[in-house]
Amino acid sequence: MSPQTDAQLARDVALAAGALLIELCKAGACADNELGDRGDAEANALILDLLHSARPGDFILSEEAQDDPARCGARRVWIVDPLDGTREFRERRADWAVHIGLAIDGVAVTGAVSLPATGRVFATDDSFPSLPPAPAQPRMVVSRTRAHPLVLRVAAAIGAELVPMGSAGAKAMAVVQGDAEIYLHTGGQYEWDNCAPVAVAHAAGLHASRIDGAPLRYNCENPLLPDLLICRPDYAQAVLAAVAAENPTPG
């Protein structure tokens, strides 16, 4: 039997964590006021156990676990969000996700994003179809509760239709699926919010960068990674130009 590839492992772990979370959501399985905390903790414990067992020499950076500073000197670091969109999960919506990403030498190269409530999982070893023709009006996924003013200004500048949505993973996979063309975010994220989505987006042939066009780097000492652009390549130049025009003095 061939050894399990990193992409296969990411997919399997994302599916296992998603199945656990779906079970918690079933009526009577978990009190409503405990759902978010239990989802975060139990999915995290399962993911750490599976990854440590399959790749004992790798480091893991998880939103829900104590950070080990020794990871900064490692080439291979799994960067995971056991439950991306805890608010949406608590509300039993569909737009939450599980992120299992792997950064090698600071680059998001492998990953899987599971959308358990819809039964979908996207991984870097998928066969992605060619992108359909671009629509006349691009659709931009934005936060359903707190869209950043800069994002709204850029959307207006390029004439984009706003598509409110929950978690970062759900937004990124909307672009991968062709349900939107642009995901622009600023105002605060961490590496675990976008490592796996960026790996999948790159595998699908999409553009992914910081909002000034700089490459996304992972396994930094400070995991804060506050802004992100994932979009179809044919929109990247227009979005980056609009960001620069609307935000001339970033930071």
Side-chain angles (χ1 to χ4, degrees):
M1 181 180 294
S2 299
Q4 188 180 37
T5 68
D6 289 332
Q8 290 167 342
L9 176 60
R11 182 195 302 275
D12 289 349
V13 173
L15 286 170
L20 179 155
L21 292 165
I22 289 294
E23 285 297 314
L24 274 181
C25 279
K26 289 183 176 178
C30 180
D32 288 351
N33 63 348
E34 298 177 357
L35 187 59
D37 289 342
R38 281 191 59 185
D40 283 330
E42 293 183 23
N44 183 66
L46 176 63
I47 289 167
L48 295 186
D49 182 63
L50 293 173
L51 289 178
H52 282 308
S53 176
R55 299 289 189 272
D58 292 351
F59 281 83
I60 303 173
L61 171 64
S62 170
E63 180 179 16
E64 303 299 333
Q66 182 70 35
D67 190 11
D68 181 352
R71 67 171 171 79
C72 296
R75 293 193 63 229
R76 291 172 52 93
V77 180
W78 294 88
I79 301 177
V80 305
D81 192 341
L83 175 49
D84 178 56
T86 305
R87 175 186 298 186
E88 286 73 26
F89 179 71
R90 284 198 308 263
E91 295 175 3
R92 290 179 164 84
R93 291 170 54 91
D95 47 351
W96 52 275
V98 176
H99 298 177
I100 309 296
L102 173 64
I104 300 179
D105 294 331
V107 178
V109 296
T110 301
V113 177
S114 174
L115 305 178
T118 64
R120 298 295 305 274
V121 62
F122 304 83
T124 46
D125 61 352
D126 286 345
S127 296
F128 295 96
S130 300
L131 295 171
Q137 181 184 27
R139 296 162 294 179
M140 180 185 289
V141 284
V142 298
S143 171
R144 70 183 182 94
T145 59
R146 53 186 186 279
H148 194 279
L150 173 62
V151 172
L152 298 179
R153 293 198 303 271
V154 170
I158 65 173
E161 173 190 353
L162 298 179
V163 181
M165 197 172 292
S167 75
K171 294 188 191 80
M173 294 308 101
V175 182
V176 170
Q177 293 181 85
D179 294 332
E181 286 68 50
I182 303 163
Y183 171 31
L184 178 68
H185 174 86
T186 190
Q189 280 191 0
Y190 290 85
E191 293 184 12
W192 46 75
D193 291 308
N194 57 56
C195 180
V198 163
V200 173
H202 277 310
L206 299 174
H207 170 94
S209 71
R210 301 289 299 272
I211 64 171
D212 62 357
L216 292 148
R217 300 294 298 176
Y218 295 90
N219 194 31
C220 299
E221 181 178 0
N222 181 353
L224 180 67
L225 190 55
D227 57 74
L228 170 72
L229 170 62
I230 292 175
C231 67
R232 288 175 52 127
D234 35 359
Y235 287 106
Q237 184 175 357
V239 175
L240 292 171
V243 169
E246 296 292 336
N247 192 39
T249 55

